[in-house]
Amino acid sequence: MEIVKNAVVGLTYELKVSKEEDEIESVPFSVEVRDNEDPFYFIFGFSGLPEKFEELLAGKSQGESFSFTISAQDAYGEPDDEMIMALPKAQFSAEAGFEPEMLEEGNFLPLVDENGYPMQAKVLKDLGEEILLDFNHPLVGFDLHFDGEVFEVREATPEELDHGHVHGDHGHQH
């Protein structure tokens, strides 16, 4: 079966990122490896990943290799200064499930938006009464380099399509 809309896709890959600064491209460095022990599964067309990622995988079949680069513009874009905010440190109390060490610079805070969807913010600086957080995607501004293989392709079940995610061994457990 080929990768088409509504197919369940399992991938193994290595993701490397690089950044261009002052016309010089950095050497790509590895940020994620998904192997046969832990393949990445998603429903094609509903991955939540950059559109270009799915475009470049369309039509591939199980066992087929892939290698492509997605520019920062086609991936997560460039950093948005409006996504950097100072919030009252009191919002991140122990009662709310936060430990003091979680608020250290460089850490990513697991948060939930007003609709209940998980998100994260990077702690940039402790400002005393406030904490400066970056809500940009962690890979914003980076070119993404994927090298991998299509591990599995199958039809999504009606229940998976209804729920919008993969079930079973490599997916969501209800």
Side-chain angles (χ1 to χ4, degrees):
M1 177 177 178
E2 287 187 350
I3 297 176
V4 294
K5 186 171 177 153
N6 295 336
V8 169
V9 179
L11 304 175
T12 58
Y13 63 81
E14 180 176 16
L15 168 60
K16 294 180 180 180
V17 298
S18 63
K19 192 176 240 180
E20 186 175 312
E21 293 183 35
D22 301 325
E23 310 282 324
I24 298 169
E25 181 84 9
S26 67
V27 173
F29 61 93
S30 183
V31 294
E32 182 179 31
V33 174
R34 299 298 290 261
D35 59 18
N36 291 352
E37 303 289 314
D38 183 30
F40 172 65
Y41 275 83
F42 63 97
I43 297 176
F44 193 77
F46 301 97
S47 70
L49 297 167
E51 197 174 301
K52 192 73 170 173
F53 178 79
E54 290 195 0
E55 273 179 38
L56 293 166
L57 289 172
K60 296 198 179 307
S61 301
Q62 185 170 322
E64 202 170 331
S65 295
F66 59 87
S67 182
F68 53 78
T69 298
I70 303 173
S71 71
Q73 280 311 116
D74 288 334
Y76 294 102
E78 296 301 325
D80 180 351
D81 289 342
E82 291 184 18
M83 298 296 286
I84 297 175
M85 302 171 200
L87 297 175
K89 197 188 288 184
Q91 287 183 354
F92 305 98
S93 66
E95 295 81 36
F98 295 94
E99 299 297 326
E101 59 272 7
M102 294 172 77
L103 302 180
E104 293 174 6
E105 290 180 23
N107 285 346
F108 284 90
L109 295 178
L111 304 172
V112 177
D113 71 12
E114 61 274 0
N115 298 316
Y117 293 108
M119 59 187 290
Q120 62 182 4
K122 183 176 184 180
V123 178
L124 296 180
K125 192 160 186 69
D126 185 336
L127 302 171
E129 294 296 312
E130 294 184 319
I131 191 157
L132 189 62
L133 300 175
D134 184 350
F135 287 89
N136 282 294
H137 189 282
L139 296 178
V140 73
F142 286 98
D143 293 336
L144 311 180
H145 308 267
F146 287 92
D147 288 297
E149 185 176 306
V150 179
F151 184 75
E152 182 180 355
V153 182
R154 65 170 174 81
E155 287 185 37
T157 66
E159 185 182 39
E160 288 172 322
L161 292 173
D162 186 47
H163 290 187
H165 55 252
V166 178
H167 292 171
D169 290 344
H170 300 290
H172 188 75
Q173 307 294 329
H174 285 280

